[in-house]
């Protein structure tokens, strides 16, 4: 219970002085606050276990007793049917010897506490804390006896408040046995508050760890080594059921906080239970931070009716390393494990562009990037890189880093009397067709043999010889030259066959002469037929 609850009880009953207790740190929430019943109106059974072992100084033992009486007064003056039992560590005083088992003792059995019998409870507390015990600390026995007291009670809400330095030395395996006893009590529905008391507990992390694990809810000791004032305030205000009280003066504030929880406990572990001073009603504020399940793939929040809710986040995957985040698709990039322990998709998909314009770039989910060469493609920087040394193909050009073919030369001159071709080095060739009689030019002069040569210039006027061949250079064309007629080309350099070659060939000069004349006649007939066809076309 906070300072405001103490003042509320004073306002209501006019019997309890408002203590100048510490105000605990609070957490601001932008959520609705559920209003419960009147503060302290729901009766509860409470077992209070006090520590008077030798580790507690005389001064702290006296302060512990004063704080315990103040807590008893809070329960009594509400007068709502609360039951209280007071226990202490080790039944024997030091003057009575040593109890080998360090057994705990029930000072006051569980019974109703109200304004009428408050003085009796206060007297029992003073007597219980008057001296130290020299029998050691048996947390197991103290918890089990408090558990039994609460089981005998009739109220549905049950609370065990344990004050200890967290250094059990009885019985065998004192730490594990203490933890087992606390777990059994919590399993039986008992809410367990533990207070790390005195300098020993505030200076020893292992002692605090035991007491924190014995408490209800996810209670953790957040400090390391000796506890600073700030760490103490943070621990006592974090909403769980574990507290730190380095000396007796801290106990009053801790008891105020515990009583506030008891008076307004809604049974929902993740709500901050407070008493509104103005209205006198309990308020329950959801504390989402108490629902953290340490799983980054859940949305954790406190529902004022259901308690902690840990909703799985669709598509979320927890991780520790990047390798755990692979989705089997290399193309969408490399998934990573974030600092928060959650797999995150790659910022960018896999870039398969290899910068080579002569490859088809694609991606395979298993193998990743594939860069397939384009057949016939040539990379370039300037047009000259693309020259294939063949002008007939046109002028190649470098376009966006790739050679582009030029337009092939069109060497067709639409002249039927030329033979059109292209030379790789010199380009188009349009050579007159001397073999086609129809393509011979007709001069503007008499031409008896129609070979395109005027009679006055024709070396063989009556025989078609457009090439004007004159083998012996005597001005008489070969077909009209008696010196030439009868000679046959033997393939030699002079273009003729010598007479001795003909000997023994079965061919006499007379035969050769006859062959030559026949050839001339045939050529002349062919010319005449060609001319006739040409004239028929024109008609």
């Amino acid at each position: 219970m906070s300072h405001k609850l103490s003042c509320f009880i004073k306002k209501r009953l006019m019997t309890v002085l408002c203590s100048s207790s510490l105000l605990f740190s609070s957490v601001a929430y932008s959520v609705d606050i559920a209003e419960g019943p009147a503060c302290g109106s729901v009766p509860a059974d409470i077992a209070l276990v006090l520590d008077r072992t030798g580790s507690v100084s005389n001064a702290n033992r006296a302060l512990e007793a004063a704080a315990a009486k103040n807590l008893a007064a809070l329960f009594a003056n509400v007068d709502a049917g609360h039951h209280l039992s007071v226990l202490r560590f080790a039944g024997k005083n030091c003057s009575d010897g040593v109890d080998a088992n360090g057994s705990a003792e029930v000072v006051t059995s569980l019974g109703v506490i109200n304004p009428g019998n408050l003085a009796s409870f206060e007297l029992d507390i003073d007597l219980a804390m008057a001296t130290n015990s020299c029998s050691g600390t048996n947390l197991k026995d103290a918890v089990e006896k408090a558990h039994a007291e609460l089981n005998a009670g009739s109220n549905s809400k049950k609370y065990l408040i344990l004050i200890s330095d967290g250094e059990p030395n009885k019985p065998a395996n004192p730490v594990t046995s203490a933890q087992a006893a606390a777990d059994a009590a919590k399993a039986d529905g008992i809410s367990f508050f533990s207070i790390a008391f005195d300098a020993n507990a505030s200076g020893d992390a292992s002692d605090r760890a035991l007491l924190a694990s014995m408490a209800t809810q996810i209670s953790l000791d957040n400090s390391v080594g000796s506890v600073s004032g700030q760490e103490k305030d943070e621990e006592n205000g974090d909403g769980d059921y574990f507290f730190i009280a380095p000396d007796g003066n801290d106990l009053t504030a801790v008891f105020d906080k515990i009583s506030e929880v008891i008076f307004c406990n809604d049974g929902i572990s993740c709500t901050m239970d407070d008493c509104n001073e103005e209205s006198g009603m309990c308020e329950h504020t959801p504390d989402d931070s108490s629902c953290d399940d340490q799983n980054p793939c859940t949305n954790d929040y406190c529902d004022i009716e259901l308690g902690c809710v840990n909703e799985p986040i669709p598509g979320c995957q927890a991780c520790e390393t990047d390798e755990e985040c692979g989705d089997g698709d290399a193309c969408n990039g490399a998934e990573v494990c974030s600092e928060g322990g959650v797999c995150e998709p790659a910022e960018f998909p896999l870039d398969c562009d290899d910068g080579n314009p002569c490859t088809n770039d694609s991606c395979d989910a298993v193998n990743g990037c594939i860069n397939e060469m384009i057949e016939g493609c040539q990379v370039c920087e300037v047009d000259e890189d693309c020259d294939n040394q063949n002008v007939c193909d046109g002028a190649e050009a470098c376009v966006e880093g790739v050679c582009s073919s030029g337009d092939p030369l069109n060497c067709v001159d639409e002249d039927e009397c030329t033979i059109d071709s292209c030379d790789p080095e010199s380009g188009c060739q349009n050579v007159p067709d001397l073999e086609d009689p129809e393509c011979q030019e007709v001069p503007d002069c008499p031409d008896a043999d129609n070979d395109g040569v005027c009679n006055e210039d024709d070396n063989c006027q009556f025989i078609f010889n457009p090439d004007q061949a004159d083998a012996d250079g005597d001005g008489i064309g070969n077909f009209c030259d008696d010196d030439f007629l009868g000679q046959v080309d033997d393939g030699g350099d002079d273009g003729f066959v010598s007479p001795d070659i003909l000997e023994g060939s079965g061919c006499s000069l007379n035969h050769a002469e006859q062959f030559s004349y026949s050839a001339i006649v045939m050529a002349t007939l062919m010319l005449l037929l060609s001319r006739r066809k040409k004239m028929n076309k024109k008609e």
Side-chain angles (χ1 to χ4, degrees):
M1 182 179 69
S2 66
H3 180 71
K4 65 181 181 181
L5 180 58
S6 299
C7 294
F8 164 71
I9 294 174
K10 175 187 175 184
K11 185 183 297 183
R12 180 180 177 190
L13 302 172
M14 303 301 293
T15 54
V16 180
L17 293 176
C18 294
S19 64
S20 57
S21 58
L22 290 173
L23 290 176
F24 290 85
S25 60
S26 60
V27 181
Y29 299 92
S30 58
V31 295
D32 292 335
I33 298 175
E35 188 172 78
C39 302
S41 62
V42 179
D45 293 336
I46 304 109
L48 174 63
V49 181
L50 303 174
D51 188 355
R52 65 174 192 128
T53 56
S55 61
V56 180
S57 67
N58 290 335
N60 272 341
R61 193 174 71 253
L63 291 171
E64 182 182 0
K69 289 189 291 183
N70 182 65
L71 179 63
L74 293 176
F75 293 134
N77 291 324
V78 171
D79 197 12
H82 295 294
H83 294 169
L84 179 64
S85 174
V86 180
L87 300 89
R88 66 178 182 177
F89 284 115
K92 285 189 175 183
N93 299 325
C94 291
S95 59
D96 298 329
V98 177
D99 179 0
N101 294 322
S103 301
E105 179 184 21
V106 177
V107 177
T108 302
S109 296
L110 189 71
V112 67
I113 182 170
N114 53 45
N117 62 6
L118 173 60
S120 175
F121 276 94
E122 292 176 333
L123 178 61
D124 288 342
I125 292 172
D126 282 335
L127 292 174
M129 300 300 292
T131 60
N132 288 105
S133 167
C134 298
S135 298
T137 303
N138 189 332
L139 286 178
K140 172 182 178 294
D141 188 58
V143 172
E144 289 178 343
K145 287 180 177 176
H147 186 178
E149 285 288 306
L150 292 172
N151 276 348
S154 58
N155 290 322
S156 60
K157 293 185 178 295
K158 302 179 183 297
Y159 302 91
L160 194 160
I161 305 172
L162 173 70
I163 303 172
S164 174
D165 60 8
E167 295 183 345
N169 52 15
K170 303 288 178 65
N173 301 315
V175 173
T176 55
S177 63
Q179 184 67 63
D183 291 342
K186 291 184 288 186
D188 214 9
I190 296 173
S191 297
F192 199 120
F193 296 95
S194 63
I195 304 170
F197 180 53
D198 204 65
N200 287 348
S202 61
D204 192 316
S206 62
D207 295 344
R208 297 194 302 274
L210 170 60
L211 293 172
S213 66
M214 293 174 70
T216 298
Q217 299 186 346
I218 304 173
S219 300
L220 300 172
D221 174 39
N222 298 318
S223 52
V224 178
S226 296
V227 177
S228 67
Q230 179 180 348
E231 289 173 328
K232 177 196 69 177
D233 292 342
E234 290 175 353
E235 181 61 63
N236 292 345
D238 63 5
D240 64 27
Y241 284 17
F242 169 66
F243 301 87
I244 298 175
D247 59 50
N249 291 316
D250 297 305
L251 279 177
T252 298
V254 170
F255 282 155
D256 278 354
K257 187 67 178 177
I258 291 174
S259 65
E260 186 171 347
V261 174
I262 293 175
F263 285 159
C264 288
N265 187 7
D266 59 359
I268 303 298
S269 62
C270 61
T271 57
M272 303 286 284
D273 303 322
D274 299 294
C275 180
N276 186 297
E277 181 180 351
E278 298 299 325
S279 67
M281 306 299 290
C282 290
E283 293 180 343
H284 311 290
T285 306
D287 177 13
D288 293 341
S289 64
S290 66
C291 294
D292 186 0
D293 60 359
Q294 304 301 308
N295 182 349
C297 284
T298 57
N299 280 323
D300 307 323
Y301 63 93
C302 179
D303 185 286
I304 58 176
E305 294 182 355
L306 302 176
C308 282
V309 177
N310 309 105
E311 290 183 345
I313 300 173
C316 182
Q317 178 183 346
C319 60
E320 294 182 359
T321 63
D322 292 345
E323 288 72 17
E324 298 175 58
C325 299
D327 61 359
D329 186 351
C331 298
N332 59 15
E335 294 75 21
V336 296
C337 185
S338 68
E339 292 183 0
V342 174
C343 287
E344 293 183 352
E347 186 175 0
F348 301 104
L350 194 62
D351 183 7
C352 291
D353 184 0
D354 60 359
N356 184 348
C358 282
T359 58
N360 281 324
D361 305 325
S362 61
C363 187
D364 179 79
V366 176
N367 300 313
C369 287
I370 298 176
N371 308 102
E372 185 177 1
M373 293 299 299
I374 301 173
E375 185 177 357
C377 183
Q378 178 183 346
V379 178
C380 60
E381 294 182 1
V382 295
D383 291 345
E384 287 73 12
D385 296 336
C386 303
D387 190 354
N388 66 354
Q389 304 300 312
N390 187 345
V391 298
C392 298
D393 293 337
E396 294 79 17
C398 185
V399 180
E400 296 182 355
V402 176
C403 286
S404 175
S405 300
D407 295 326
L409 294 183
N410 182 9
C411 292
V412 178
D413 60 2
E414 299 183 357
D415 185 348
E416 295 181 357
C417 290
T418 59
I419 298 174
D420 304 328
S421 63
C422 187
D423 181 79
E425 293 184 2
S426 58
C428 286
Q429 305 292 314
N430 307 102
V431 180
D433 185 359
L434 300 179
E435 298 298 328
D436 187 349
E438 295 185 6
C439 292
Q440 305 309 312
E441 294 183 3
V442 178
D444 295 331
C445 61
D447 181 14
D449 55 8
N450 292 314
D451 61 1
V453 181
C454 294
N455 289 340
E456 64 182 23
D457 298 320
D458 195 338
N459 61 11
C460 190
Q461 294 183 11
F462 301 103
I463 298 177
F464 182 80
N465 63 332
D467 60 357
Q468 297 291 291
D470 182 8
D472 56 6
D474 61 0
I476 300 174
N478 289 344
F479 288 115
C480 294
D481 193 344
D482 292 338
D483 297 332
F484 172 76
L485 293 175
Q487 299 190 34
V488 180
D489 186 359
D490 62 357
D493 293 337
D494 58 0
F496 304 104
V497 147
S498 58
D500 59 328
I501 293 209
L502 295 175
E503 293 181 4
S505 64
C507 181
S508 66
L509 288 175
N510 289 333
H511 291 157
E513 291 175 0
Q514 293 174 4
F515 172 79
S516 298
Y517 281 124
S518 297
I520 292 171
V521 173
M522 290 299 295
T524 302
L525 290 175
M526 291 297 291
L527 175 63
L528 293 175
L529 289 173
S530 174
R531 292 295 186 187
R532 174 58 60 184
K533 290 180 180 179
K534 187 171 183 180
M535 291 177 67
N536 290 338
K537 288 181 181 180
K538 290 181 178 180
E539 292 176 356

